[in-house]
Amino acid sequence: MQIAIDGPASSGKSTVAKIVATQLGFVYVDTGAMYRATTVLANRLGLDYGDEAGLMAKLVDAQIEFQPDQAGQKVFLNGEDVTLTIRTPEITNNVSQVAALAAVRTEMVKRQRQIADQGQVVMDGRDIGTTVLPDAAVKIFMVASAKERAQRRYAENITKGIDTPLATLQAEIELRDQKDSTRAVSPLRKAADAVEIDTTKLTIEQVVAEILAITKQKMPN
Ligand code: CDP
Ligand code: CDP
């Protein structure tokens, strides 16, 4: 059983995917964190974020690993804990450029499928239902208004002591969505057989319940 959850930035994918995975005993795979760790690698190497050949020379041997943690999951790049680094503005503002590189996507998709081959997964990202797991039994496309998504990010930032203006956050989210939706290789798209859930006015619990209900219908008895 595979559950694919796609959608634009801050629509609630990872929050909901983690809970669904825990409730079902599935492995949660945060593919956005993999592209973010790849962006950290480019940054550490001092590369231009568009330097595909320079990045690929190191990415093929780079280890990107997840480790369960009370707060969710820790992310490691070549053994270094980069859980906090991957969420910094430098990485957030450049990840879409790195994620648009065709060779980077081929490498990431290969790794994501290897993880999925090992067991039951809930995987979230932008191209899971369309490209990574086209045969997933459950495909969800999660959306919410840009204003609501910016407000959620704002509220999350405040708890971390970060006070970026709401308008800046909304502009950043809309720019990233635009880049992710218009790139040449596997852009952000709703798969033809995905169920769209608009979470603008829903609580996390309501979204989780909806996905669990859809999943139960697909589960073999
Ligand atoms: O959590 P947030 O919505 O901020 O983004 P994320 O899921 O961590 O993904 C970060 C970026 O990685 C996205 O904006 C995309 O550029 C890229 N990404 C992708 O291209 N394909 C995926 N399957 C997942 C993420
Ligand atoms: O993974 P993605 O970027 O799609 O979103 P996220 O990192 O899960 O962030 C979504 C934020 O909105 C979190 O702070 C959640 O607590 C909040 N939220 C949500 O995920 N779903 C709702 N229905 C309401 C709020």
Side-chain angles (χ1 to χ4, degrees), residues 72-135:
Q73 241 173 16
K74 279 188 181 292
V75 184
F76 292 82
L77 170 65
N78 291 329
E80 180 196 344
D81 184 350
V82 293
T83 312
L84 296 177
T85 314
I86 62 170
R87 307 282 161 201
T88 55
E90 172 68 20
I91 300 307
T92 299
N93 293 333
N94 291 292
V95 59
S96 292
Q97 189 180 352
V98 172
L101 301 173
V104 168
R105 298 206 72 81
T106 303
E107 178 67 24
M108 290 299 116
V109 171
K110 184 180 89 185
R111 294 183 187 207
Q112 290 152 13
R113 287 182 180 151
Q114 279 168 355
I115 301 171
D117 283 346
Q118 288 164 26
Q120 314 207 82
V121 292
V122 181
M123 194 176 279
D124 82 330
R126 301 292 186 290
D127 61 338
I128 311 306
T130 53
T131 305
V132 183
L133 305 175
D135 300 324

Side-chain angles (χ1 to χ4, degrees), residues 132-153:
V132 183
L133 305 175
D135 300 324
V138 176
K139 293 185 188 179
I140 307 293
F141 196 75
M142 212 177 273
V143 299
S145 73
K147 191 171 164 214
E148 171 68 21
R149 290 186 283 135
Q151 277 168 347
R152 289 177 186 172
R153 202 51 96 198

